[in-house]
Amino acid sequence: MSQQTESISLHDGLVVGTVDAPELVGSRCKACGVVAFPPQSSCAKCTSRDVETRHLARQGTLWTWTIQCFAPKSPPYSGGADDFEPYGVGYVELAGEVRVEARLTEPDPEQLRIGMPMELVLIPAPGPGGGLTYAFAPAEDHE
Amino acid sequence: MTDVAVVGLGIHPFGRHPGVSGLEMAATAARAALKDAGIGWQDVEFAAGGSDAAGNADTTVSVLGLTGVPFINVKNGCATGGSALTTAHAMLAAGAAEIALVVGFDKHPPGAFNPMPEEWGLGSWYGETGLMLTTQFFAMKIQRYMAEHGISPSTLAKVASKAFDNGARNPWAWRRQPLSEAEVLSSRMVNDPLTQYMFCSPGEGAVALVLARGDRAKALARTPIYLRSVAFRTRRFGSFEVFSPSIPLESAPSPTTEAAAAAFEQAGIGPDDVDVAQLQDTESGAEVMHLAETGLCAHGEQEHLIQSGATRLDGRLPVNTDGGCLANGEPIGASGLRQVHEVVLQLRGEAGDRQIAGPRRVGFTQVYGAPGVSACTVLTR
């Protein structure tokens, strides 16, 4: 498999890096250390405005999940109802940072369990636009 | 503080009412509440009310009569009814009026709500990629909760089955067909672990309440039911709420936990004293979690409580005796007031086929919704 090293920028700069190694861009409060995604201009915990950009960890563990079994209304969803396939959604805990909500590549509830290791990947965005979006995929255990 | 009591109840049936506007439903409920209180619209000295999607509440005054009454329109998402009640309660307690009317109503199209990301401070990508759904949030919150506290899918199904049993006994409910636990469990999966019949649907309906203070309350009502407290809170940092692209690692009490604690403290009454409760049951899991968040039981205790039938009409702690959101649907502006309406009926002993079997001295209500708001009340006979 060839290395996809072309740099990317999706969703107004929230997803950067490369196709093979995408990264989410969040923020970290320099006063109290709280990490948020997307980046916040002020801290929701301590209200400080002294925040810095932070590229978030690409690996984490599944904190909770569901399967989206029906086609969301469009708008705001980009995908159609006719070719809809169920997809996973979850929160992935990035150790010491934050829990990020994302689509999951795994749509089979039997294959998902809380605590399993996950890794950030890119998937085709729903709809005819041909773009990409971020998702978490089950990963080999990094322990 | 001066006593404030509910002295009049009015409701327009919940469900689908083609050709009837939300404002017409509100006027029907308001007239019924005035009649129940034995007063006329001209006797009302303050009014508050609202809807999320069916117009300005004070437009009802052009139907009821132009009396010059100060009327505050409330539009506060899922806490619309609770906020209107908070406002009226405060006005009466402050002595700014003797008699107040509160009205909540709504009329939503079929299907899940489709909020737009931009209205919630989120980028359009959040909706485009399929994350802007309230049902996902509810499913993920209960999924985690079940793993942490040992709640079974059977318990989720029992919550829904109870709601439809109670709804079948409620002439104003939308869903009046009993459904067994097995039927709930085998219905279409919507968002794991929640099936179709574990979710309520956006709907239509209206509720109005007449409140009075002090001596006026005693003079008006056959059985005044006292509104001992109304408490309303929004989310704190660390509370797990809908439409959150991320949540912090540290957790905080939910707005429901804080509103309930404040309501009990203001009332000087504890959760152990509650004889009947109406809890936000947007889906089955919400009722399970709210039982503990409100302090009515410990986290994890719900499994035994619900499996043993304690929350049924003849149980120790009947919950959502009118069928809740599951059987009534959710007209956002009306939901919180429907809960108070039901508790007052139960405490009066006028709940008909669904009258609780046990004592009826203390009632409790809790409404909750996006983006992390909750309003709770304590009522006593």
Side-chain angles (χ1 to χ4, degrees):
Chain A
M1 194 172 170
S2 67
Q3 283 283 76
Q4 303 272 333
T5 54
E6 187 186 346
S7 62
I8 54 162
S9 179
L10 308 175
H11 307 329
D12 302 323
L14 287 182
V15 192
V16 298
T18 66
V19 172
D20 276 352
E23 291 180 326
L24 298 178
V25 178
S27 60
R28 180 184 172 278
C29 173
K30 290 163 83 170
C32 76
V34 157
V35 175
F37 172 81
Q40 305 292 309
S41 59
S42 67
C43 179
K45 182 182 183 188
C46 76
T47 73
S48 167
R49 299 181 68 180
D50 191 11
V51 292
E52 61 187 0
T53 298
R54 180 187 178 98
H55 289 214
L56 305 181
R58 298 190 54 245
Q59 280 91 29
T61 53
L62 191 60
W63 189 74
T64 189
W65 59 273
T66 188
I67 306 296
Q68 179 60 36
C69 297
F70 65 95
K73 279 185 179 175
S74 180
Y77 189 55
S78 290
D82 295 339
D83 58 350
F84 176 79
E85 294 286 340
Y87 57 89
V89 178
Y91 280 87
V92 172
E93 180 163 324
L94 310 178
E97 291 185 328
V98 68
R99 298 176 186 129
V100 172
E101 185 184 18
R103 285 178 68 132
L104 306 176
T105 59
E106 180 57 69
D108 178 0
E110 299 301 319
Q111 303 301 317
L112 293 168
R113 61 179 168 79
I114 289 171
M116 69 191 286
M118 307 293 286
E119 182 170 35
L120 189 71
V121 298
L122 297 181
I123 59 169
L132 296 168
T133 189
Y134 67 97
F136 278 92
E140 297 300 313
D141 207 324
H142 293 272
E143 295 298 316
Chain B
M1 196 181 353
T2 306
D3 286 341
V4 172
V6 181
V7 299
L9 298 177
I11 190 166
H12 183 284
F14 282 39
R16 292 261 172 247
H17 305 286
V20 184
S21 73
L23 287 162
E24 287 167 330
M25 289 186 241
T28 299
R31 286 199 180 98
L34 293 168
K35 186 179 175 198
D36 186 45
I39 60 170
W41 172 235
Q42 68 280 359
D43 298 318
V44 172
E45 296 168 9
F46 175 79
S51 79
D52 187 64
N56 289 329
D58 86 340
T59 308
T60 53
V61 303
S62 60
V63 181
L64 297 171
L66 300 174
T67 62
V69 64
F71 198 125
I72 292 184
N73 286 298
V74 177
K75 185 173 165 70
N76 202 13
C78 298
T80 293
S83 301
L85 190 62
T86 303
T87 307
H89 181 259
M91 292 295 270
L92 292 175
E98 297 281 318
I99 297 178
L101 180 95
V102 182
V103 61
F105 59 100
D106 246 312
K107 189 176 178 80
H108 305 293
F113 293 113
N114 60 331
M116 295 299 144
E118 296 79 0
E119 292 171 17
W120 294 81
L122 296 162
S124 60
W125 59 272
Y126 190 75
E128 289 163 4
T129 58
L131 298 178
M132 191 87 194
L133 287 103
T134 54
T135 58
Q136 288 174 2
F137 160 73
F138 289 117
M140 288 192 284
K141 188 175 175 195
I142 190 63
Q143 183 91 274
R144 176 83 193 177
Y145 193 89
M146 290 167 79
E148 282 186 343
H149 298 288
I151 307 296
S152 66
S154 156
T155 289
L156 296 183
K158 276 195 165 67
V159 168
S161 181
K162 166 180 67 70
F164 297 120
D165 277 354
N166 294 353
R169 295 160 178 257
N170 175 0
W172 303 298
W174 182 10
R175 314 282 189 199
R176 306 201 54 206
Q177 178 72 39
L179 285 171
S180 69
E181 179 184 338
E183 286 171 309
V184 172
L185 275 175
S186 63
S187 65
R188 181 172 56 84
M189 186 59 79
V190 172
N191 282 99
D192 291 70
L194 300 170
T195 64
Q196 178 184 1
Y197 295 134
M198 293 179 190
F199 275 103
C200 84
S201 305
E204 306 174 16
V207 176
L209 309 173
V210 176
L211 307 183
R213 77 192 294 264
D215 294 340
R216 292 297 294 275
K218 290 191 186 75
L220 280 173
R222 300 177 308 265
T223 316
I225 302 299
Y226 292 95
L227 184 58
R228 296 294 178 193
S229 60
V230 190
F232 170 46
R233 292 290 186 274
T234 64
R235 63 204 182 283
R236 270 186 201 279
F237 179 77
S239 172
F240 183 17
E241 303 295 343
V242 71
F243 305 149
S244 299
S246 75
I247 52 176
L249 298 182
E250 65 185 73
S251 61
S254 74
T256 288
T257 302
E258 299 203 314
F264 283 122
E265 188 184 339
Q266 283 170 33
I269 287 169
D272 291 346
D273 298 321
V274 171
D275 298 315
V276 58
Q278 314 300 317
L279 305 177
Q280 178 79 28
D281 59 336
T282 318
E283 37 73 37
S284 292
E287 181 171 317
V288 172
M289 294 183 285
H290 291 152
L291 268 165
E293 289 184 18
T294 54
L296 293 171
C297 74
H299 288 285
E301 198 186 331
Q302 304 99 319
E303 181 69 14
H304 173 71
L305 207 60
I306 291 165
Q307 289 289 339
S308 69
T311 58
R312 299 183 61 84
L313 287 180
D314 57 356
R316 171 171 71 76
L317 177 62
V319 174
N320 289 332
T321 49
D322 66 351
C325 288
L326 288 170
N328 287 280
E330 192 178 23
I332 287 178
S335 259
L337 298 182
R338 173 183 55 72
Q339 298 177 326
V340 175
H341 181 279
E342 174 67 8
V343 162
V344 171
L345 271 187
Q346 291 285 353
L347 297 185
R348 281 180 179 177
E350 296 175 359
D353 288 346
R354 63 184 191 286
Q355 182 63 48
I356 58 171
R360 47 185 176 85
R361 195 182 68 83
V362 178
F364 176 81
T365 73
Q366 174 253 347
V367 66
Y368 164 83
V373 295
S374 183
C376 295
T377 71
V378 175
L379 297 119
T380 64
R381 192 151 59 106

